[in-house]
Amino acid sequence: MPGSPVNTEFEGRVFEHPEEFEVSAESIKDFARATGATQESHPAHFDASRAADLGYDGLVAPPTYPVIIAQRAERNYIADPEAGIDFSRVVHGSERFTYTRPLVAGDRVRASTLVESIRQVGGHAMITTRTSIVDAGAGAGAEAGTGVGTEAGAGNGEEIVAVTSSIVVRGEE
């Protein structure tokens, strides 16, 4: 079986995403609706006063929302021609989220992606990345002393959430 052309020398490299990402109330609502949440089932995604009742400074992003940010950052690796990844051959494997605190509307974040591992298995490449999403500045969710978990890391680059992703790049058949 022919091997995958993925460049294994990329293991251990870090790709910094060049732009900040602002978590907006509208993007939280849109993502929540797209994932089946409703105002009745998850009011903190839609109503700032309900989020405030829970101790947050803005709408609370759904738990899988960071995938939006992570995929933007991962694109810097996947799109690098020297990485050897043919995106038409990519199959999603898994996603895992490790939180310090939830993302909330008004957070400004930066992201960097580490290529944790690249394994060749039966002509396919199994790639695991870890995208670190860090606090980039004082947005609504980063104002000291005003919300659950917001005191630590107010704009100081502390990690808010890490997204660990696994993909399979199918080899030539």
Side-chain angles (χ1 to χ4, degrees):
M1 179 180 285
S4 172
V6 171
N7 186 345
T8 58
E9 292 181 13
F10 273 57
E11 186 173 290
R13 288 195 190 178
V14 175
F15 293 80
E16 299 287 336
H17 192 65
E19 301 158 2
E20 284 186 4
F21 182 89
E22 183 166 349
V23 178
S24 73
E26 279 310 307
S27 70
I28 288 173
K29 290 176 188 178
D30 289 344
F31 191 88
R33 279 190 288 273
T35 57
T38 65
Q39 176 119 10
E40 294 75 32
S41 65
H42 295 89
H45 300 325
F46 297 95
D47 182 339
S49 66
R50 296 293 299 272
D53 290 345
L54 296 172
Y56 296 100
D57 298 315
L59 296 182
V60 179
T64 55
Y65 178 93
V67 75
I68 297 169
I69 302 163
Q71 286 183 348
R72 289 181 185 178
E74 291 164 355
R75 186 179 321 140
N76 296 300
Y77 163 51
I78 291 172
D80 187 321
E82 292 181 27
I85 298 172
D86 176 354
F87 196 72
S88 71
R89 304 192 72 74
V90 170
V91 177
H92 181 265
S94 67
E95 215 84 48
R96 185 175 68 242
F97 303 87
T98 307
Y99 277 92
T100 303
R101 67 165 175 86
L103 287 168
V104 297
D107 276 339
R108 287 192 352 252
V109 298
R110 297 192 70 79
S112 61
T113 297
L114 165 67
V115 181
E116 277 194 339
S117 67
I118 303 172
R119 296 183 306 132
Q120 301 291 333
V121 179
H124 308 294
M126 308 277 290
I127 302 170
T128 301
T129 60
R130 181 184 188 281
T131 300
S132 178
I133 299 172
V134 301
D135 192 341
E143 294 172 8
T146 59
V148 175
T150 58
E151 296 85 1
N156 64 5
E158 287 191 19
E159 187 172 86
I160 297 171
V161 60
V163 181
T164 303
S165 303
S166 297
I167 61 171
V168 177
V169 182
R170 295 176 292 119
E172 304 280 329
E173 297 183 27

